[in-house]
Amino acid sequence: MTITTVDAFTTSADGTRIAFDLTGPARGLAPAVVAVDGVLAHRMPVTLAVASELGDRVTTLRYDRRGRGGSGDTPPYSVDREVDDIAALLQVTGPAVLLGISTGAFLALRAAADLGSLVTGVLCFEPGYDVASGEPPTDPRMIAGVEACVEAGDPGSAVELFLDVVGMPCRLVPRMRASASWADLESMAPTIAYDGRVLAAVALGRRALMCRWDLITQPVLVVHGTASAAAVAAAAGSLVAVLPAARRVTVPGHGADVPPEAMAEAVAGLLGVVSP
């Protein structure tokens, strides 16, 4: 694997600096993929492993969403600004496939609808919201509750509240608080509400995705494991049902731990890259 750029930055439309790294060939020498992380994550190890699997066949860009890691943040938050961040990154790579993980899948789909041909395809990995359910797309605590904790200067409670929203057993929280990663989670606490707003925008607002599925004409793969939670399987099926060019890929024997090589193979298929 060739590291072309490490710890580089680009600037979004509102002046926010967005940190990223690149693996693989320089722009124009190979097709490209941009990894869009989900809640409480930035430049995840699994996406580095995917980049390693893709090697020099693909240019892979991993970035810190605004408010996370090395990226800046400019209030007020809006989903449109996160789409602008992706647009700025696509100026670095050229047109690219978006690899959206968890809530990042819905941000990637929003970008596909908004940015058109700059997005050549979308891989939605483990999406968590069933768009056919009729249920609200996000628990109100994920926005109002988290923001209240952050404004009170208590990011740890914001993280705990989110863990409760996603069903983390209470007995595991003290162990997480004692872990080396807890400080990083607290640093990202304000961005939990950002993901809440990404999910809310699927169904709410003037430009709700539910009214714009027909704009996402790019190829879409919705990937999950056969051992994924029932809610994830339902979400995957619901997306395939509404997106014009979507298909579903299930990886036998896995849940959220789908091997990087399987994810890389799916990305390569979207990009039309032949396996080595």
Side-chain angles (χ1 to χ4, degrees):
M1 179 180 66
T2 302
I3 303 292
T4 306
T5 307
V6 178
D7 292 331
F9 296 89
T10 190
T11 303
S12 194
D14 68 350
T16 302
R17 230 170 50 141
I18 303 299
F20 68 90
D21 61 46
L22 283 174
T23 63
R27 175 176 174 158
L29 299 180
V33 59
V34 174
V36 184
D37 289 322
V39 65
L40 288 180
H42 60 99
R43 288 193 252 184
M44 300 170 65
V46 68
T47 59
L48 182 60
V50 168
S52 180
E53 288 288 334
L54 292 168
D56 288 338
R57 296 176 294 154
V58 173
T59 300
T60 303
L61 184 149
R62 305 181 316 130
Y63 76 104
D64 298 335
R65 285 174 55 188
R66 59 174 52 215
R68 309 181 190 187
S71 289
D73 202 0
T74 304
Y77 175 81
S78 76
V79 179
D80 287 340
R81 288 189 172 192
E82 286 228 66
V83 173
D84 288 343
D85 299 345
I86 292 173
L89 294 163
L90 294 174
Q91 293 301 311
V92 175
T93 62
V97 159
L98 302 181
L99 166 57
I101 298 173
S102 185
T103 51
F106 292 99
L107 178 56
L109 290 171
R110 171 68 176 263
D114 288 359
L115 302 178
S117 60
L118 284 175
V119 177
T120 58
V122 181
L123 191 153
C124 299
F125 175 68
E126 291 270 309
Y129 174 56
D130 181 348
V131 301
S133 68
E135 296 294 324
T138 187
D139 188 312
R141 293 176 295 166
M142 194 171 166
I143 300 176
V146 162
E147 288 178 341
C149 291
V150 171
E151 288 169 10
D154 189 0
S157 289
V159 175
E160 285 195 20
L161 181 59
F162 170 71
L163 295 175
D164 184 58
V165 167
V166 298
M168 173 72 71
C170 294
R171 68 181 185 279
L172 298 181
V173 173
R175 188 182 309 167
M176 290 191 67
R177 271 192 170 273
S179 71
S181 64
W182 186 258
D184 194 33
L185 296 178
E186 285 196 351
S187 74
M188 291 185 283
T191 70
I192 297 169
Y194 298 177
D195 281 84
R197 294 185 190 282
V198 168
L199 287 175
V202 174
L204 305 174
R206 181 174 54 86
R207 297 169 64 223
L209 266 181
M210 281 188 175
C211 300
R212 305 169 68 223
W213 296 128
D214 61 323
L215 297 180
I216 305 173
T217 57
Q218 301 94 326
V220 176
L221 289 183
V222 186
V223 178
H224 67 98
T226 55
S228 295
V232 170
S238 71
L239 281 175
V240 170
V242 297
L243 291 168
R247 62 187 180 90
R248 183 173 177 175
V249 174
T250 54
V251 181
H254 290 276
D257 62 337
V258 168
E261 55 268 25
M263 292 175 66
E265 183 180 351
V267 170
L270 271 175
L271 290 168
V273 174
V274 178
S275 299

